[in-house]
Amino acid sequence: LKGPSKYYLKGMNSNIDSLSELVEIGDNFISAPGSIILSHDTSTVTHTGKLRIEKTVIGNNVFLGANAVVLPGIKIGDGSIVGAGSIVTKNVPPGMVVVGNPAKVITSVEKYMNKCEERDVLYSLTSEVLEKHRTGIKMTPKEKSRSIQDLYQQYWRKNSNE
C-alpha cells in the first residue's frame, strides 16, 4: 500500500492507487500479496494530455487473490472472489468467482464453496487467526507459526494415507 489511505488496514496486502480516496473498500475485505487496485490510468496522457480517473469500488466480503489487478472504475460486488493473477476489466456481480485475463465469471461463490466441501479441502483456522482476521492486524511470528502448525496437523490427520 502506497501513501496515506483510510483503507490501509483493509487493503494491507494490496497496492492501492496513489489516488486512494477514489478507491472504496467494503467491510471484511481480504487481499492476498501483490494485488493492485487502481483508480487512474496514465496511458491516456500520451494521446490526450489528460489522465483517466474513475472511482473503483470493492464490496463487502470480497477476496482479491495474489497478483490480481483491479482496473479503474471497476465495481466488485459483495461476496465475490477474484482469483490469483486475474485482471479485472469489467464489473463483477455479487457472489461470483472470476478468474483470468481478462477476468471472467466461472461460477458462483456458493457453488465453489459446495465444491470445496464435497472435496473435503476446507480447514479450520485457529482462534488467534480468526480474531485478527479482516482487522489488518498482522499475526506475530509466534502466532503465525502456531497457526501453520495447526493447519499442517489438521491436513495430515485428514490425509494420513498420503
Side-chain angles (χ1 to χ4, degrees):
L1 182 65
K2 307 271 182 181
S5 170
K6 62 185 175 182
Y7 295 114
Y8 174 74
L9 293 178
K10 288 185 179 183
M12 185 175 277
N13 287 318
S14 293
N15 182 352
I16 297 177
D17 197 293
S18 56
L19 297 175
S20 62
E21 292 304 310
L22 296 176
V23 174
E24 182 180 313
I25 299 174
D27 294 331
N28 302 320
F29 171 70
I30 302 171
S31 60
S35 53
I36 300 170
I37 305 170
L38 299 172
S39 62
H40 84 280
D41 173 6
T42 307
S43 70
T44 56
V45 172
T46 303
H47 303 281
T48 66
K50 297 177 182 177
L51 190 67
R52 174 182 157 220
I53 300 172
E54 295 184 62
K55 185 174 184 176
T56 302
V57 179
I58 311 292
N60 298 317
N61 303 306
V62 169
F63 175 81
L64 187 59
N67 299 311
V69 178
V70 180
L71 296 181
I74 297 300
K75 291 176 179 54
I76 298 179
D78 292 346
S80 293
I81 296 173
V82 177
S86 297
I87 310 297
V88 185
T89 63
K90 295 186 177 168
N91 292 343
V92 177
M96 293 293 134
V97 177
V98 298
V99 299
N101 180 7
K104 295 188 185 310
V105 173
I106 60 163
T107 192
S108 69
V109 170
E110 181 180 6
K111 287 180 182 175
Y112 175 62
M113 293 304 130
N114 288 339
K115 186 183 286 187
C116 289
E117 289 284 355
E118 288 169 12
R119 293 178 54 222
D120 198 22
V121 294
L122 298 176
Y123 296 86
S124 299
L125 296 172
T126 65
S127 59
E128 290 170 319
V129 173
L130 289 174
E131 286 173 23
K132 290 188 175 182
H133 194 53
R134 299 183 177 114
T135 64
I137 300 170
K138 289 196 173 196
M139 290 187 289
T140 66
K142 189 174 183 178
E143 289 169 333
K144 187 174 183 179
S145 177
R146 278 197 304 260
S147 176
I148 289 169
Q149 289 307 311
D150 181 67
L151 290 169
Y152 277 138
Q153 288 174 2
Q154 290 180 64
Y155 178 85
W156 291 121
R157 273 194 301 270
K158 193 184 284 188
N159 299 282
S160 60
N161 57 352
E162 284 188 9

